[in-house]
């Protein structure tokens, strides 16, 4: 009973994944590409960078990077604050 | 863990890793990579140096390095570079790009080009600041774990 149930779930999941794979879009053809084209054509003019990814990370979506830096800063402050007490005690 | 194999490997590999990390940070606006990745590579080289040396050596060497000051300089510098955009534009506007500023301010040729280091505007400065911040952060985490682990092992 348990084996047949597991087999059924396995088959169903495999069919689901196969159907999802078949209905994927072809590689390199996103449904909306206006923003990508804007980045690719304007990155060298506006952000003066050959690396479009860096121009997006540090210029177009700079707030995202600011949040990442804040997360890292908070994590390090937390680790150092938690582990400092044992340093003092010993 | 300071066996002869690790010591010899570190002597050869650590300078190369540190140079590669600085290269990734400085060329963040030209080649794949950037501040975060280059800082992580640099910190892994420093972690190798920390692991391969003795407790007293590491403590004496890294007590003089103000890692928390580096971290704060990185964060505040990144924010200050972003605030430069308030000079007539919006937050995070790349004001130095294509402006003729002597450092990182030259014009980038549009199209396929070999990549010139003296371009990028605020992107290059932000790469350097973020790289400094990430390497200080990761190194201080590895260092404090190392110091606590070694001391407790000595106490056992």
């Amino acid at each position: 009973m348990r084996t047949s149930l597991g087999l059924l779930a396995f088959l169903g999941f495999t069919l689901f994944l196969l159907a999802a794979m078949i209905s994927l879009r072809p590689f390199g053809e996103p449904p909306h590409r206006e923003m990508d084209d804007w980045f690719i054509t304007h990155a060298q003019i506006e952000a003066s960078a050959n690396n479009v990814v860096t121009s997006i990370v540090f210029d177009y979506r700079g707030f995202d990077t600011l949040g990442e830096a804040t997360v890292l800063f908070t994590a390090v402050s937390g680790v150092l604050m938690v582990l400092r007490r044992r340093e003092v005690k010993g | 863990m300071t066996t002869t194999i690790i010591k010899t490997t570190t002597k050869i590999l650590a300078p190369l890793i540190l140079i590669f990390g600085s290269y990734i940070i400085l060329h963040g606006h030209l080649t794949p990579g950037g501040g975060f990745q280059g800082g992580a590579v640099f910190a892994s080289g420093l972690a190798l140096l920390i692991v391969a040396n003795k407790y007293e050596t590491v403590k004496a060497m890294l007590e003089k390095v103000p890692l928390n000051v580096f971290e704060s300089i990185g964060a505040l510098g990144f924010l200050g570079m972003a605030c430069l955009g308030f000079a007539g534009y919006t937050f995070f506007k790349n004001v130095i790009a294509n402006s003729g500023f002597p450092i990182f301010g030259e014009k980038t040729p549009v199209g396929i080009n070999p990549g010139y280091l003296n371009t990028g505007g605020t992107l290059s400065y932000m790469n350097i600041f973020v790289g400094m911040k990430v390497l200080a952060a990761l190194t201080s985490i590895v260092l404090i774990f190392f110091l606590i682990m070694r001391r407790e092992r000595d106490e056992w």
Side-chain angles (χ1 to χ4, degrees):
Chain A
M1 181 62 192
R2 249 185 104 170
T3 323
S4 57
L5 260 183
L7 203 64
L8 205 67
F10 172 73
L11 274 180
F13 195 58
T14 309
L15 282 179
F16 170 72
L17 283 185
L18 275 178
M21 191 193 79
I22 286 167
S23 65
L24 269 182
R25 296 183 66 83
F27 186 73
E29 291 178 19
H32 306 290
R33 54 181 309 156
E34 293 84 12
M35 197 184 240
D36 314 351
D37 288 339
W38 174 273
F39 285 148
I40 290 169
T41 51
H42 286 74
Q44 281 183 321
I45 303 166
E46 287 182 351
S48 173
N50 276 356
N51 190 350
V52 181
V53 176
T54 302
S55 78
I56 290 173
V57 164
F58 283 111
D59 194 333
Y60 294 112
R61 294 186 59 187
F63 271 110
D64 198 78
T65 310
L66 188 61
E68 270 181 65
T70 315
V71 165
L72 187 67
F73 188 82
T74 317
V76 173
S77 316
V79 166
L80 293 187
M81 203 171 69
V82 167
L83 295 181
R84 178 179 228 144
R85 259 169 98 197
R86 307 186 66 183
E87 182 84 3
V88 170
K89 202 170 67 181
Chain B
M1 288 288 280
T2 51
T3 61
T4 313
I5 295 175
I6 293 180
K7 274 184 188 166
T8 316
T9 316
T10 304
K11 259 182 211 158
I12 300 169
L13 275 185
L16 295 178
I17 294 177
L18 296 188
I19 290 171
F20 186 59
S22 344
Y23 158 75
I24 290 182
I25 292 177
L26 280 179
H27 285 235
H29 55 296
L30 301 175
T31 53
F36 274 99
Q37 294 88 341
V41 171
F42 202 98
S44 72
L46 288 179
L48 196 59
L49 280 178
I50 288 173
V51 166
N53 281 305
K54 286 202 188 88
Y55 177 81
E56 293 81 18
T57 324
V58 171
K59 205 172 176 193
M61 268 176 63
L62 286 174
E63 256 179 359
K64 295 168 197 154
V65 183
L67 283 175
N68 49 353
V69 174
F70 280 159
E71 165 111 17
S72 305
I73 287 175
L76 289 178
F78 180 68
L79 210 54
M81 274 297 145
C83 284
L84 273 187
F86 282 138
Y89 301 99
T90 52
F91 200 48
F92 272 109
K93 165 79 181 169
N94 198 341
V95 283
I96 301 181
N98 300 326
S99 70
F101 191 71
I103 307 167
F104 295 132
E106 274 183 14
K107 263 193 174 327
T108 306
V110 178
I112 299 173
N113 58 342
Y116 301 103
L117 186 60
N118 205 5
T119 59
T122 52
L123 295 186
S124 314
Y125 291 104
M126 283 178 180
N127 269 323
I128 292 171
F129 280 126
V130 169
M132 187 193 288
K133 180 175 153 43
V134 170
L135 84 89
L138 296 184
T139 309
S140 57
I141 287 182
V142 170
L143 182 66
I144 200 151
F145 280 152
F146 172 82
L147 291 180
I148 284 179
M149 230 178 70
R150 275 301 150 89
R151 210 201 41 233
E152 289 193 343
R153 186 177 298 163
D154 290 347
E155 283 172 0
W156 280 348

